[in-house]
Amino acid sequence: RMRIKVFHGKTLKDVVSALTTVTGRMKALPAWTQKGAVVGLQGGQDKVQKDYDFLKQQGVPIKAVWLQDWVGARKTSIGQQLWWNWEPDDSSPGSDYYGWNSLVDSLSLQGVRTLTYINPYFTNVSAKSTGYTHNYFQEGVDEGYFVKNISGNAYLLDSGHFDFAMVDFTNPAARKWTKQIIQKNMLRCNPTGNGELGGSGGVYGWMHDFGEYLPFDSVLFSGGDPAAYHNAYPEEWSALAAEAVEECNN
């Protein structure tokens, strides 16, 4: 069975306005986004610095850089894809962002915010050539933080080029673990300490991606129906980000 809502209006703006009375409306973009470009750069620290310097030399007003490959990238059959292990790729001299903290801090001193990327999935980084500080995939498996299959193991999904597991947000411990990863590696704050943002290498925001892949035949920590939880999952994922930021601000 399917229920359909039809929204109508004389203009597209009227239709969107009618739609958002039901879906909710996002907040207005912050004022700083209207004062310069938010530039998407990638390819590692040296290339990002080179491209950024070129844009500045051309007089481009830049307010933020979006570095989606901050976690490092791997080669697959479709080109470059991110390592879904949510920490800066700065663990060795050969890492893509070998001087992550200094890069972010330097941009900040110039009034430029650094933005990154994250999703609720983790992949095994044991084969990552430049090394890593944490293998969050293995940690999540060991602690039982991921959505499980009917056999009781982490439910591995196929991206087409690598397998990944997804965090089970019905597990309070898994929620806390994921928030701590965001707070430690992205916001660079310690909510149990002074609660201040802006530690060295801390980013201003990120693309909070995905959340729509929960399998209907998965097993949740709560014991609930995964089909019923499917559409709630991305809402929980968004709420977790808000909690992570709020805890750092308090």
Side-chain angles (χ1 to χ4, degrees), residues 152-218:
N153 300 314
Y155 200 129
L156 298 184
L157 292 91
D158 183 4
S159 74
H161 308 280
F162 53 85
D163 292 338
F164 64 92
M166 57 191 305
V167 180
D168 185 345
F169 294 132
T170 71
N171 181 345
R175 284 181 62 88
K176 181 178 179 181
W177 175 72
T178 308
K179 280 196 291 185
Q180 288 174 337
I181 290 173
I182 291 173
Q183 291 164 339
K184 175 184 177 182
N185 296 335
M186 299 172 74
L187 295 170
R188 294 293 172 91
C189 80
N190 177 13
T192 61
N194 57 23
E196 293 182 357
L197 293 175
S200 183
V203 304
Y204 195 82
W206 56 86
M207 177 180 177
H208 202 70
D209 202 14
F210 286 130
E212 65 269 33
Y213 290 161
L214 181 67
F216 284 9
D217 61 343
S218 59

Side-chain angles (χ1 to χ4, degrees), residues 101-231:
N101 288 5
S102 60
L103 173 65
V104 173
D105 294 349
S106 173
L107 290 169
S108 180
L109 289 173
Q110 299 172 65
V112 178
R113 296 164 167 84
T114 298
L115 311 176
T116 53
Y117 172 93
I118 192 173
N119 65 50
Y121 312 137
F122 289 82
T123 189
N124 196 335
V125 292
S126 59
K128 193 167 183 280
S129 60
T130 56
Y132 47 88
T133 304
H134 297 87
N135 185 341
Y136 286 117
F137 171 86
Q138 192 59 56
E139 188 174 323
V141 168
D142 293 342
E143 298 296 333
Y145 291 154
F146 298 136
V147 171
K148 293 182 171 56
N149 58 28
I150 57 175
S151 299
N153 300 314
Y155 200 129
L156 298 184
L157 292 91
D158 183 4
S159 74
H161 308 280
F162 53 85
D163 292 338
F164 64 92
M166 57 191 305
V167 180
D168 185 345
F169 294 132
T170 71
N171 181 345
R175 284 181 62 88
K176 181 178 179 181
W177 175 72
T178 308
K179 280 196 291 185
Q180 288 174 337
I181 290 173
I182 291 173
Q183 291 164 339
K184 175 184 177 182
N185 296 335
M186 299 172 74
L187 295 170
R188 294 293 172 91
C189 80
N190 177 13
T192 61
N194 57 23
E196 293 182 357
L197 293 175
S200 183
V203 304
Y204 195 82
W206 56 86
M207 177 180 177
H208 202 70
D209 202 14
F210 286 130
E212 65 269 33
Y213 290 161
L214 181 67
F216 284 9
D217 61 343
S218 59
V219 178
L220 299 173
F221 177 86
S222 66
D225 178 7
Y229 190 64
H230 183 273
N231 286 3

